[in-house]
Amino acid sequence: MLYFRGCTAREKLTGIQEATEKLLKLADVDYHVLEDEKCCGSVLLRTGFLKEAQEQIEKNTEILKGETVITSCAGCYKTLKDDYDGLDVIHISQLLNQLINEGKLDVSKTDLNVTYHDSCHLGRHCDEFDEPREVINSVANLIEMENVRENSLCCGAGGGVKSAYPQIASQMGKSRIEQAKETGCETLVTPCPFCKLNLENDDLEVLDLTEFLVKYGDLDEGQ
């Protein structure tokens, strides 16, 4: 397997990469990374730079073809799965659920209550709603927000909004954070580094799914 870290986890939120690699090693997953990994092209596609995106896709396809590609980022997952031809792609939430069900990751259930934010790219775009929730429920009690699954509120970061219209992105993020706080939970889990980046705040702990599992899963590191 090739672990495609994605720009955000690779450069800005490196704790996600560290948590992911720790989980892969604990589960004895045979994987490697690209030292010169390039952007998947998602941002170029979503902001209308189609020619540049296609050039990036063609370069990456030559490198990624024949691999089973694991992604941290929901945006990378959607792009590699839908906008590339013939790649075998799995989001880390899907793989973690599989590893837990197979007993390759030994986690323990706690009485912690957490809430979950559906990333637009993983949820509405790719119809992946259940597996991240199953991972969370293997460790904690999931308390849903008012808007979830297909009706989830966007975090505000996608589609170039955070770069072009930061005030709008901030307002959207605050709306989602308020919904999370209404659940009474102190921890918010998301499957997307980009979402985590925009949802981080002073009132709630915001964790990527991998960071959540490492912190609260009581993993058996001797397995």
Side-chain angles (χ1 to χ4, degrees):
M1 288 185 165
L2 188 155
Y3 171 35
F4 191 87
R5 295 161 290 176
C7 299
T8 306
R10 188 178 71 246
E11 297 181 6
K12 292 185 178 180
L13 299 178
T14 55
I16 294 174
Q17 175 188 334
E18 292 166 4
T20 301
E21 294 206 60
K22 179 173 183 176
L23 292 168
L24 294 176
K25 289 171 183 175
L26 279 174
D28 200 25
V29 174
D30 184 12
Y31 77 97
H32 65 107
V33 299
L34 297 173
E35 293 304 324
D36 60 345
E37 178 186 296
K38 302 296 191 294
C39 177
C40 70
S42 176
V43 175
L44 291 170
L45 282 170
R46 312 310 158 211
T47 52
F49 293 89
L50 302 184
K51 179 182 176 182
E52 293 83 353
Q54 189 57 42
E55 291 173 355
Q56 190 70 17
I57 287 171
E58 290 173 3
K59 291 176 184 177
N60 280 336
T61 298
E62 288 301 308
I63 298 169
L64 300 175
K65 64 183 180 182
E67 301 270 12
T68 296
V69 183
I70 313 164
T71 71
S72 279
C73 180
C76 292
Y77 174 72
K78 186 262 187 297
T79 301
L80 295 173
K81 178 176 176 287
D82 291 346
D83 300 303
Y84 285 61
D85 288 328
L87 291 189
D88 181 14
V89 189
I90 185 170
H91 185 261
I92 188 63
S93 62
Q94 300 166 320
L95 180 60
L96 291 175
N97 191 50
Q98 176 184 327
L99 294 172
I100 291 170
N101 288 336
E102 292 175 352
K104 295 179 181 178
L105 272 179
D106 186 12
V107 298
S108 297
K109 181 89 179 209
T110 70
D111 59 0
L112 178 70
N113 292 332
V114 305
T115 193
Y116 173 72
H117 167 73
D118 287 285
S119 159
C120 295
H121 281 133
L122 190 65
R124 278 190 292 269
H125 291 191
C126 294
D127 201 32
E128 298 292 344
F129 299 106
D130 294 328
E131 288 168 303
R133 286 174 165 82
E134 290 176 20
V135 173
I136 291 172
N137 277 317
S138 70
V139 172
N141 303 312
L142 176 60
I143 310 298
E144 297 279 18
M145 286 185 261
E146 179 181 351
N147 291 89
V148 297
R149 302 176 74 91
E150 295 90 343
N151 296 317
S152 175
L153 299 182
C154 176
C155 76
V161 176
K162 188 171 178 65
S163 298
Y165 307 100
Q167 186 175 0
I168 293 175
S170 178
Q171 290 171 347
M172 294 175 70
K174 287 177 181 177
S175 294
R176 192 57 166 160
I177 291 163
E178 286 305 311
Q179 281 202 344
K181 289 165 65 175
E182 286 171 5
T183 66
C185 298
E186 296 181 354
T187 299
L188 171 62
V189 180
T190 174
C192 180
F194 220 49
C195 292
K196 178 187 175 181
L197 194 63
N198 203 50
L199 290 172
E200 287 185 322
N201 64 95
D202 295 331
D203 297 324
L204 284 175
E205 176 183 49
V206 182
L207 297 173
D208 182 78
L209 185 64
T210 55
E211 296 173 315
F212 164 74
L213 207 55
V214 167
K215 183 170 182 178
Y216 294 112
D218 192 22
L219 296 160
D220 181 3
E221 300 192 23
Q223 60 184 334

